[in-house]
Amino acid sequence: MSTSKPFPVPDPTASYWHSENDTFVHTRTTNDLPSETDVLIVGAGYAGAASAYWLYKQCHTCPLKVLMLEARTVCSGATGRNGGHLKPDYYREYLKFERLYGQKGAADIGNFEHEHISEIKNVVEDLQIDCDLVLTRACNVHLTEGAVDGCIKAMDALKNNPYSNVLDDIQILEGNNARVVSQFPKSPLALTFTAGHLWPYKFVKGLLQFCLERGLNLQTNTCVDYIETLGDGSYLIRTARGNVKTKKVILATNAYTSAIAPEFDDKIVPVKGTCSHIKFTADNKYTPYLNYTYGICRDFSEHEYLINRSDGSIVVGGAKPFYLKDKESWYKNVDDASLFKADIERWYSTFMQDNFSSWKGTKTEVDYLWTGILGYSVDALPWVGEMPNQKNKYVLAGFHGHGMPRVFLSAKAISEMILRGVAVEDTGLPQPFILTEDRLKQTRNNILQETGYHKYQTKL
């Protein structure tokens, strides 16, 4: 399914992260929309919730009217459909980033991601958010000659970067050490580094509850159809429930950004992916537990990711070989109301036993299988900042399936720009994240190439 404008579709597939049927997802603070607001946030996922959090956290001297409009229900987009990983990505794209942005630019990205671990730990503890946050280690296993070679080259380059703060956190395991520590017998090389995992919806809910107590007006099932620029420089936000005038607007819309900001057509592309929840059947004699979260790297484009939850169940996503060759099924596709046609459920039903030594002999089943729409950026980096020549319209989107260690502090930067007039260059954002006119004009779309789509076309 492909649409001319990528608006969210109704009735998405059931994600494990929404399995508790929490009625908070339907929140409407008031019966009707206000006619005016100071700041309007489009989107009630991680980016929208983090934006509201930082606005209220940092606004000490003035009452602030903030309205949040969500097309569907709270956290029903990519955040509520991801793998639950809080995992900085130290090295997998390092060589490309160093080539494009130099040693400092590449290091700034890695350092920024690493900061998210302590920042999210602190806010979860400060607000006492019950979101199953666990700080642990990530273990990336590399299964092919190409994956191993790419990892070694990236690490060699990273070791020579004087600006990087993350190298001391990385452990390299080779040969038998890699296989024993990772519990992945097929891996000749593994890397471990600090990471975490959590229940994404509950984290977003906790941020929003903090904001609601301070005056946030949250309106779900209220799709923004169009944004009109008025003569006084303010914006008129048009919805089927009425229109709202706002001084400032934040587009926390990820994959759906180009639906209301056409400048991002072919800059932020909707990409459909899939994820699952695996549980033990009742007749298991024991419950193995993995000490790490995982990235399973067969090559750069073909990998899976998983977390081991405290009850022993697994959330795992990926499965690209099952659908990547069918471009129409995933590229520029916003249909998360349907599954892929391939039998991905069967693949995941024995995935753990087929890959991990400690899971041999166990019996599992897939009780949740869902799809979600990722906002792939054409240069693999988010777009953060004020729209060129559109004052007070801010964008926080295009997180390329890697938002958990990038969104929170990017939202802080937007808040500083709005509340204190700080220039985007002075917010601490990595320079490559910054939304500029030149970046919009010059960036070219390499998504099909970098996802490995052409590899499947060659096979055909």
Side-chain angles (χ1 to χ4, degrees):
M1 173 183 174
S2 144
T3 60
S4 56
K5 288 191 175 183
F7 285 105
V9 303
D11 302 318
T13 51
S15 161
Y16 171 73
W17 304 124
H18 286 286
S19 60
E20 295 184 357
N21 297 317
D22 186 350
T23 58
F24 181 83
V25 298
H26 302 291
T27 297
R28 282 186 176 177
T29 306
T30 57
N31 291 330
D32 300 312
L33 299 183
S35 59
E36 293 189 27
T37 190
D38 296 322
V39 182
L40 190 145
I41 301 171
V42 186
Y46 180 19
S51 297
Y53 167 80
W54 283 114
L55 286 172
Y56 283 110
K57 183 73 173 178
Q58 296 185 315
C59 186
H60 303 298
T61 59
C62 58
L64 191 67
K65 292 188 293 183
V66 181
L67 173 65
M68 179 179 290
L69 303 182
E70 165 57 45
R72 299 192 301 203
T73 55
V74 170
C75 200
S76 61
T79 309
R81 321 185 73 74
N82 69 20
H85 243 150
L86 172 58
K87 179 185 176 183
D89 194 350
Y90 292 139
Y91 69 95
R92 292 191 69 244
E93 294 193 274
Y94 177 81
L95 292 173
K96 180 180 79 172
F97 291 156
E98 183 180 281
R99 184 179 72 253
L100 292 174
Y101 312 117
Q103 284 187 319
K104 187 174 188 308
D108 286 348
I109 295 171
N111 296 341
F112 186 78
E113 292 186 8
H114 186 68
E115 289 176 28
H116 276 72
I117 297 173
S118 59
E119 288 284 347
I120 290 178
K121 171 183 177 291
N122 291 341
V123 72
V124 166
E125 292 176 347
D126 181 43
L127 302 186
Q128 298 183 25
I129 302 175
D130 181 10
C131 62
D132 299 350
L133 174 64
V134 175
L135 297 187
T136 180
R137 302 279 289 178
C139 181
N140 278 10
V141 297
H142 305 80
L143 305 183
T144 65
E145 183 178 345
V148 170
D149 184 59
C151 175
I152 292 172
K153 288 180 178 177
M155 289 304 302
D156 286 344
L158 189 57
K159 289 174 184 176
N160 292 317
N161 190 326
Y163 304 102
S164 176
N165 299 332
V166 305
L167 190 61
D168 290 345
D169 185 50
I170 302 176
Q171 180 186 24
I172 302 175
L173 300 164
E174 300 179 89
N176 199 48
N177 282 342
R179 290 184 281 271
V180 171
V181 172
S182 70
Q183 301 182 43
F184 209 99
K186 302 172 186 176
S187 176
L189 179 72
L191 262 62
T192 76
F193 45 89
T194 302
H197 55 87
L198 47 70
W199 191 300
Y201 163 67
K202 292 181 179 180
F203 176 59
V204 168
K205 177 183 176 181
L207 294 178
L208 290 175
Q209 287 176 322
F210 168 85
C211 299
L212 289 166
E213 291 169 1
R214 283 151 184 80
L216 173 69
N217 187 332
L218 170 59
Q219 297 286 333
T220 60
N221 294 297
T222 307
C223 184
V224 172
D225 298 319
Y226 183 75
I227 299 177
E228 179 183 348
T229 304
L230 301 178
D232 62 359
S234 61
Y235 296 96
L236 190 67
I237 311 301
R238 297 188 177 275
T239 82
R241 296 179 59 211
N243 303 330
V244 183
K245 183 179 180 180
T246 184
K247 300 172 185 175
K248 303 175 189 291
V249 61
I250 302 173
L251 305 185
T253 41
N254 206 32
Y256 307 105
T257 301
S258 66
I260 52 175
E263 299 88 343
F264 286 94
D265 184 32
D266 211 39
K267 300 298 180 184
I268 299 176
V269 176
V271 167
K272 183 174 177 176
T274 189
C275 199
S276 68
H277 179 257
I278 301 171
K279 69 174 186 178
F280 292 98
T281 59
D283 54 350
N284 278 281
K285 295 180 180 179
Y286 70 98
T287 303
Y289 186 83
L290 299 174
N291 293 320
Y292 302 103
T293 71
Y294 280 83
I296 302 169
C297 308
R298 295 180 175 87
D299 61 26
F300 179 78
S301 61
E302 185 183 324
H303 69 283
E304 269 140 331
Y305 51 89
L306 69 87
I307 64 170
N308 196 153
R309 288 188 36 77
S310 58
D311 61 2
S313 66
I314 299 292
V315 176
V316 57
K320 284 185 178 180
F322 285 87
Y323 63 83
L324 202 64
K325 60 187 175 184
D326 179 10
K327 178 183 170 185
E328 295 300 315
S329 72
W330 61 275
Y331 186 72
K332 293 188 176 180
N333 188 340
V334 295
D335 179 21
D336 57 3
S338 66
L339 299 174
F340 288 108
K341 295 178 181 179
D343 192 0
I344 295 172
E345 182 173 351
R346 184 172 64 174
W347 165 251
Y348 282 135
S349 65
T350 60
F351 181 84
M352 300 305 294
Q353 301 91 319
D354 293 341
N355 289 288
F356 290 93
S357 57
S358 60
W359 284 67
K360 302 298 182 184
T362 61
K363 296 181 180 179
T364 57
E365 64 181 6
V366 177
D367 62 342
Y368 282 86
L369 180 66
W370 64 93
T371 52
I373 309 304
L374 299 82
Y376 266 39
S377 171
V378 292
D379 58 7
L381 293 174
W383 300 77
V384 184
E386 191 175 31
M387 283 291 294
N389 306 313
Q390 298 182 60
K391 189 172 177 59
N392 295 321
K393 182 188 285 188
Y394 302 88
V395 176
L396 184 66
F399 285 94
H400 207 74
H402 192 53
M404 291 306 295
R406 289 177 172 174
V407 167
F408 195 61
L409 293 178
S410 295
K412 183 180 182 182
I414 295 291
S415 170
E416 291 172 349
M417 294 173 69
I418 289 175
L419 295 176
R420 297 200 286 273
V422 176
V424 66
E425 295 83 4
D426 298 325
T427 61
L429 270 176
Q431 187 278 330
F433 287 16
I434 296 175
L435 168 56
T436 66
E437 189 169 10
D438 282 347
R439 187 178 167 203
L440 271 174
K441 289 179 178 178
Q442 296 177 12
T443 308
R444 297 293 178 262
N445 187 340
N446 294 316
I447 292 174
L448 290 176
Q449 179 180 350
E450 294 194 356
T451 54
Y453 170 70
H454 292 300
K455 176 180 68 175
Y456 289 93
Q457 294 306 105
T458 301
K459 288 181 180 179
L460 294 176

